[in-house]
Amino acid sequence: MSEQIDTALRWAAEQMETCSDSARLDAELLLSHCLEKPRSYLYSWPAEKLSDSCWLSFRALVHRRLEPTPVAYLLGKREFFSMEFATSPAALVPRPETELLVELALNEIPLDQPLRVCDLGTGAGVIAIALKKNRPRLRVYATDVDPACLALARDNALTHGVEIDFIESDWYAGLAPGSTFDLIVSNPPYIAADHPFLTEGDLPAEPAIALSPGNSGLEAIDTIVGESPRYLAPGGVLLIEHGYDQQAAVADLLQARDFVEIRCAFDHNDLPRVSRGRLDEPGR
Ligand SMILES: C[S@@+](CC[C@H](N)C(=O)[O-])C[C@H]1O[C@@H](n2cnc3c(N)ncnc32)[C@H](O)[C@@H]1O
């Protein structure tokens, strides 16, 4: 038997309490998706009866959410930096914390300069695309080791009408010899392989390769920072997202490579999240 909007939402929110910190919001997003209406419609017409087919598809989505499957995978989309991106289980669901990395990168890039930027581990392409969209004169390169991520990122770039050079690459290994960049950005995998966090919430549904680089959690950061001087132009900047407890380790790695102006920015939860260093120009 079908339900009306408000009772369907109450039922779904109650079900999803077990798997989500935002059960009511999840319920609203899934129901507005089934109805093909904005969320505001749910508040305007709480007593409207759902059609049988809508109620059935809503129930099916709620059951998938309980697996748990992230809402972004169920909807096939996610907002990031005020833009809508297609999502798929091949790629990490873009996180709000990563918007901080984009903001910091934009601060490094004057509007009118055709600088070269590389986004390592691009996933759905959100960082690279947000940068190109906001700084159209940039030449943007984006790598990922996973071809399925690159296919998704290419689709997203097409949707947003931006040109980006996507390269299948194990970090720097697939870049053209002699490539250098004014800015390298990355949100790499950084959770230690045995961290209990990996078994919590929606994380088991996301690609392991996007979350954990190995036993210490620092393997990818180590490679990205360690090899970056070969790929940065003199005076170039590296911006890298990391775990809240990795600030000191990342600062040590940057110092060991003679980076200067090393700083760490804090996310909206006041946790150290994105570190930055500039490669000193010879003779400065
Ligand atoms: C934490 S996700 C970040 C995705 C996206 N940049 C974002 O911020 O939403 C890390 C990404 O790094 C990619 N990755 C993992 N190992 C890699 C490697 N060895 N070389 C290149 N990319 C890698 C994963 O496929 C994944 O897309």
Side-chain angles (χ1 to χ4, degrees):
M1 212 191 69
S2 189
E3 292 286 340
Q4 59 183 49
I5 285 179
D6 55 357
T7 49
L9 283 175
R10 266 202 303 279
W11 167 79
E14 218 176 279
Q15 298 287 309
M16 297 188 296
E17 283 296 333
T18 52
C19 72
S20 174
D21 294 338
S22 54
R24 172 73 193 195
L25 174 64
D26 292 2
E28 291 178 8
L29 290 169
L30 295 177
L31 187 54
S32 51
H33 174 73
C34 293
L35 286 165
E36 297 180 32
K37 303 277 188 207
R39 266 174 67 211
S40 55
Y41 186 90
L42 309 174
Y43 288 91
S44 304
W45 307 101
E48 181 179 297
K49 266 217 162 259
L50 301 176
S51 69
D52 286 345
S53 68
C54 180
W55 174 231
L56 273 178
S57 37
F58 180 55
R59 283 173 58 109
L61 285 178
V62 170
H63 285 124
R64 287 196 59 205
R65 180 76 191 97
L66 292 171
E67 286 169 358
T69 302
V71 171
Y73 291 165
L74 296 174
L75 301 183
K77 61 184 183 187
R78 173 73 169 216
E79 194 182 298
F80 178 84
F81 217 70
S82 302
M83 301 163 73
E84 191 175 290
F85 290 92
T87 53
S88 97
L92 187 91
V93 176
R95 305 291 204 268
E97 290 83 12
T98 306
E99 295 182 337
L100 172 64
L101 174 64
V102 174
E103 275 169 35
L104 295 167
L106 290 174
N107 290 341
E108 302 282 348
I109 310 165
L111 252 177
D112 56 339
Q113 285 189 28
L115 302 182
R116 290 163 61 86
V117 176
C118 186
D119 171 25
L120 296 172
T122 197
V126 297
I127 299 171
I129 295 167
L131 292 179
K132 178 70 182 171
K133 201 76 190 164
N134 285 278
R135 294 287 187 275
R137 296 206 66 201
L138 284 183
R139 177 88 192 258
V140 182
Y141 297 79
T143 74
D144 206 288
V145 77
D146 180 356
C149 285
L150 291 171
L152 177 66
R154 281 196 184 94
D155 282 350
N156 276 321
L158 206 64
T159 304
H160 287 289
V162 294
E163 212 173 292
I164 290 171
D165 285 283
F166 289 106
I167 302 163
E168 188 177 328
S169 173
D170 179 0
W171 302 130
Y172 302 97
L175 295 175
S179 300
T180 56
F181 305 96
D182 302 291
L183 177 64
I184 293 176
V185 292
S186 186
N187 172 22
Y190 52 71
I191 305 174
D194 63 352
H195 201 293
F197 191 47
L198 287 171
T199 61
E200 292 169 11
D202 289 350
L203 266 65
E206 296 188 271
I209 191 176
L211 296 168
S212 176
N215 289 338
S216 74
L218 280 165
E219 291 87 345
I221 291 176
D222 196 10
T223 304
I224 291 169
V225 176
E227 293 184 25
S228 61
R230 270 175 56 202
Y231 297 93
L232 277 172
V237 167
L238 173 67
L239 278 167
I240 190 158
E241 182 172 329
H242 51 73
Y244 65 88
D245 52 356
Q246 292 170 331
Q247 175 186 8
V250 177
D252 286 348
L253 289 170
L254 287 165
Q255 252 152 21
R257 296 288 162 188
D258 294 331
F259 277 88
V260 294
E261 298 168 11
I262 297 168
R263 298 194 277 270
C264 183
F266 286 60
D267 66 17
H268 56 267
N269 291 318
D270 215 18
L271 295 171
R273 182 64 64 188
V274 180
S275 286
R276 177 244 192 230
R278 191 172 61 73
L279 198 62
D280 210 0
E281 289 175 62
R284 259 171 73 112

